[in-house]
């Protein structure tokens, strides 16, 4: 994770120089659609039993998403993001399997340099569907839809007048899942994670 943060820091430091190399302002295209590939770093499932001590199950996994957005002003943009991710992990004699589908409305503040480089920071709120099962010592499964929130920073690079490359890091709390085992014991599982992502967007005007 430290190496990835170092890469992000280096990118932010070199943005003005890259913008100057790009040269000139591209025609304004305020709408965009795109795809993202996510690398989850320690996607965490905080298991809190009704009785006893809690623990966390962590897994590194991948996910993918689709985005559609609009630049409302020269510094503010609005985006809808739908993303799927998963986790499969064994711990304490149990196999934990989770599928997550999140649907988020993201708001970003951004600053363009020469029309080519665009750092940003954003917040998102939405709803995530969480499907979970635990097999082994525990035997339980359930599904729910819960409120989610996210915070992210990153940078867009204009490869040309139509295509952007997007790099970023995001923390997302997907919500909670209530589960009950065969013995009637209740568990609350909080799902959150930090992820790095890379994506591409196609820009167009209406």
């Amino acid at each position: 994770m430290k190496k990835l943060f170092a890469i992000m820091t280096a990118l932010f430091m070199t943005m003005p120089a890259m913008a100057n190399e790009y040269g000139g302002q591209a025609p304004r295209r305020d709408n965009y659609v795109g795809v993202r590939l996510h690398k989850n770093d320690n996607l965490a499932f905080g298991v809190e039993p009704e009785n006893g001590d809690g623990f966390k199950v962590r897994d590194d996994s991948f996910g993918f998403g689709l985005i559609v957005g609009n630049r409302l002003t020269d510094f503010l943009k609005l985006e809808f993001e739908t993303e799927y991710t998963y986790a499969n992990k064994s711990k304490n004699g149990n196999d934990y399997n989770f599928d997550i589908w999140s649907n988020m409305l993201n708001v970003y503040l951004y600053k363009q340099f020469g029309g080519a480089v665009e750092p940003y920071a954003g917040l998102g709120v939405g709803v995530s569907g969480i499907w979970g099962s635990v097999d082994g010592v525990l035997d339980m499964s359930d599904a729910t839809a819960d409120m989610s929130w996210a915070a992210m920073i990153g940078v867009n690079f204009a490869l040309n007048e139509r295509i952007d490359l997007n790099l970023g890091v995001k923390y997302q709390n997907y919500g909670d899942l209530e589960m009950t085992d065969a013995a009637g014991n209740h568990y609350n599982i909080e799902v959150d994670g930090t992820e790095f992502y890379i994506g591409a967007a196609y820009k167009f005007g209406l």
Side-chain angles (χ1 to χ4, degrees), residues 55-59 87-97 134-135:
F55 59 91
K56 282 195 173 183
V57 179
R58 299 181 182 273
D59 186 33
N88 299 293
K89 187 71 173 181
S90 296
K91 185 173 183 176
N92 299 332
N94 294 298
D95 294 326
Y96 294 84
N97 299 283
V134 183
D135 302 309

Side-chain angles (χ1 to χ4, degrees), residues 37-192:
L37 178 65
H38 301 257
K39 170 62 171 69
N40 297 304
D41 192 81
N42 283 330
L43 185 64
F45 302 85
V47 182
E48 294 291 340
E50 187 177 23
N51 300 303
D53 297 329
F55 59 91
K56 282 195 173 183
V57 179
R58 299 181 182 273
D59 186 33
D60 295 339
S61 63
F62 289 91
F64 61 90
L66 302 174
I67 57 172
V68 57
N70 177 267
R71 300 175 189 274
L72 301 176
T73 71
D74 289 336
F75 60 88
L76 183 69
K77 62 181 178 181
L78 186 67
E79 176 185 279
F80 172 75
E81 178 182 19
T82 183
E83 174 196 347
Y84 168 79
T85 191
Y86 68 94
N88 299 293
K89 187 71 173 181
S90 296
K91 185 173 183 176
N92 299 332
N94 294 298
D95 294 326
Y96 294 84
N97 299 283
F98 290 88
D99 294 280
I100 305 167
W101 179 29
S102 65
N103 296 280
M104 306 293 292
L105 186 64
N106 302 323
V107 178
Y108 299 94
L109 291 175
Y110 68 91
K111 172 66 176 178
Q112 285 190 341
F113 291 88
V117 183
E118 180 185 292
Y120 63 82
L123 295 172
V125 294
V127 176
S128 291
I130 306 172
W131 294 264
S133 66
V134 183
D135 302 309
V137 177
L138 299 175
D139 186 11
M140 55 187 182
S141 63
D142 211 335
T144 191
D146 202 6
M147 291 293 297
S148 299
W149 65 272
M152 65 286 286
I153 60 170
V155 59
N156 285 322
F157 299 94
L159 302 182
N160 55 47
E161 294 181 358
R162 292 285 187 178
I163 304 297
D164 277 359
L165 176 68
N166 180 223
L167 300 173
V169 60
K170 175 171 71 170
Y171 169 81
Q172 182 156 343
N173 186 300
Y174 293 98
D176 294 356
L177 175 62
E178 300 286 342
M179 303 180 77
T180 304
D181 65 16
N185 299 310
H186 300 286
Y187 298 79
N188 181 76
I189 301 177
E190 181 182 17
V191 185
D192 68 347

